Amino acid sequence: MLWNVTTTLLGGLATTVEIFFLTLLFALPLGLIIAFGTMTKFTPVRWLCNALVWVVRGTPLMLQLIGFFYIPGILGLHIWPGGDPGRMMATVVAFSLNYACYFSVIYRGGIQGVPVGQREAGEVLGMTKSQIFFKITLMQMIKRIVPPMSNEIITLVKDTSLARTIAITELVKAGESFMKSDGITWPLFY
């Protein structure tokens, strides 16, 4: 019994870790792109990015996950492969978009939190816009965004359990399966 529980929970842990790292891999750069979109001077792109962030941050992740997985099938669009790979892909896409929107707000706050005088000093020194961004703004932004990004990353670890809403067996669902089938609770404390 102990061996069966351990192997099942380790399989669930592997799924949880996979969701976590794939989400971070895609959400961190996408969040920076969305942040630039919300700060651009090109109005249609700014409105589109702001609307996306507003909708995604205003709806529950569980609802987004269900929508990403089931709505294309209801509409007759079969964009996800069948079985567990399709469920995992839908989960990673939903989580990545959700966390990219949250990360974009953090990035934007970090960029806008750098005093304008710092950028002006770079211009006076003859730096290009990209040099100013990478050597002045980005370096100061990083220290400002570490605490809120850490909070979001911790939240991501906890949110991976929502993947079970579309039947992905992650760590918590693997533990609950023993509670339901065998009536034992200790796998949840494993």
Side-chain angles (χ1 to χ4, degrees):
M1 178 65 141
L2 180 64
W3 179 252
N4 187 24
V5 171
T6 302
T7 56
T8 304
L9 290 177
L10 286 176
L13 178 64
T15 303
T16 298
V17 169
E18 183 180 2
I19 292 169
F20 174 78
F21 282 113
L22 287 174
T23 299
L24 283 182
L25 178 70
F26 296 120
L28 289 170
L30 182 60
L32 192 59
I33 292 168
I34 294 171
F36 288 142
T38 61
M39 295 185 300
T40 186
K41 292 180 181 174
F42 188 60
T43 306
V45 172
R46 186 177 65 241
W47 285 354
L48 180 68
C49 289
N50 282 328
L52 174 70
V53 170
W54 182 74
V55 168
V56 169
R57 291 184 69 211
T59 56
L61 179 56
M62 183 184 296
L63 181 63
Q64 293 169 21
L65 186 60
I66 291 169
F68 267 95
F69 185 68
Y70 290 112
I71 289 177
I74 292 170
L75 298 175
L77 306 170
H78 300 288
I79 58 175
W80 311 119
D84 286 341
R87 293 177 192 281
M88 180 61 84
M89 193 180 299
T91 300
V92 170
V93 169
F95 273 58
S96 296
L97 183 62
N98 181 281
Y99 276 89
C101 288
Y102 280 95
F103 290 159
S104 74
V105 174
I106 295 169
Y107 286 139
R108 189 182 73 210
I111 292 169
Q112 291 176 340
V114 176
V116 177
Q118 298 288 325
R119 291 188 287 273
E120 290 172 350
E123 290 173 5
V124 168
L125 292 172
M127 299 173 93
T128 64
K129 286 188 180 253
S130 63
Q131 287 176 326
I132 291 170
F133 179 76
F134 287 109
K135 294 185 178 183
I136 296 174
T137 306
L138 186 65
M139 293 300 124
Q140 294 182 44
M141 177 191 84
I142 289 173
K143 72 177 182 181
R144 295 174 191 272
I145 67 169
V146 167
M149 287 296 256
S150 301
N151 289 341
E152 286 301 317
I153 290 170
I154 290 167
T155 303
L156 173 59
V157 172
K158 296 186 286 184
D159 280 348
T160 56
S161 65
L162 293 176
R164 69 191 198 172
T165 59
I166 60 170
I168 289 186
T169 304
E170 41 67 52
L171 185 61
V172 175
K173 186 175 181 183
E176 278 187 348
S177 67
F178 288 103
M179 193 168 86
K180 290 178 182 176
S181 65
D182 300 333
I184 55 175
T185 58
W186 60 265
L188 292 176
F189 302 105
Y190 204 90

